[in-house]
Amino acid sequence: MIRAALFLLLALSGAPAAAEEVVMGLSKSSVSISTDFDGSEILIFGAVKREVAIRPDPPLQVIVTVEGPKEPVTVWRKARRLGIWVNSEAVEVDSAPTFYAVATSAPLGEVLSEVEDLRHDISIPRAIRSVGAPMTILDSQSFTNALIRIRERAGLYHLDEGAVQLRESTLFDTAIAMPANITEGLYMTRVFLTRGGKVVASHSTEIDVRKVGLERWLYNLSRSQPLIYGLMSIAIAVLAGWGASAAFRALKSG
């Protein structure tokens, strides 16, 4: 079924072709976040469209990235003061994706050169933009590395080397797992074809991730009516506490 879709994509693509071009598709172009949302998996597949015969050496490789909305992040470093751990130094990361996944057909260091990574911002560190840091902080890169480690543990950043299946240097597919804690927004999906570490073709599209149902209503309420949202949250907390206390007293007296 996937192969049939790939060949259909090739047949319908009427744009003038370069030496090699990417034709890609998604198993779904939108993700709905509801109250019972526990994550999602997106199948990304495609084919290589050519005007010339396949060149066997160097072999073709494929890189797929999925990037969530970007936002500024303040990263703090803790230090021990008078026997307790407190925030001591901070670096403002100008722009970091809320989610970033990279899948490759071979080890990333083999399929992409540092120059091409710098040009296209493909690897996880290159996707994060941190321009400046306080003059008192000499190791600002360690703050960016800490952010990457934290989000890797949360399942929000991951590199899957060898996860892209490439068949006969023509058909490719991979699956990108999106955890339950993703944020809503447009997720940029990019596919790169590389030879000898150099990008020879690329293509991009978007995945729309949105809250629906109760999640959407609460989100909109928190943005449009923050006072009402806050009062409602307090009321729910009070009622929950009262209910738990009443249940405990009933169990104790029984």
Side-chain angles (χ1 to χ4, degrees), residues 79-100:
R80 197 173 183 85
R81 299 284 189 270
L82 301 177
I84 60 174
W85 290 97
V86 296
N87 292 332
S88 61
E89 297 175 308
V91 167
E92 181 75 19
V93 175
D94 302 88
S95 178
T98 53
F99 173 86
Y100 198 75

Side-chain angles (χ1 to χ4, degrees), residues 136-202:
T136 56
I137 297 177
L138 302 178
D139 58 341
S140 59
Q141 183 59 39
S142 65
F143 287 77
T144 300
N145 295 339
L147 174 64
I148 293 173
R149 289 195 302 271
I150 291 169
R151 293 193 169 177
E152 283 177 340
R153 288 196 294 268
L156 295 172
Y157 288 178
H158 52 91
L159 168 63
D160 295 324
E161 296 177 310
V164 178
Q165 300 298 316
L166 180 60
R167 301 172 181 85
E168 301 175 358
S169 294
T170 302
L171 305 179
F172 65 87
D173 64 84
T174 190
I176 300 294
M178 306 176 93
N181 55 340
I182 57 173
T183 61
E184 71 170 353
L186 293 177
Y187 283 60
M188 180 64 67
T189 303
R190 301 182 296 169
V191 175
F192 299 91
L193 303 182
T194 69
R195 284 189 184 276
K198 183 179 180 180
V199 174
V200 296
S202 64

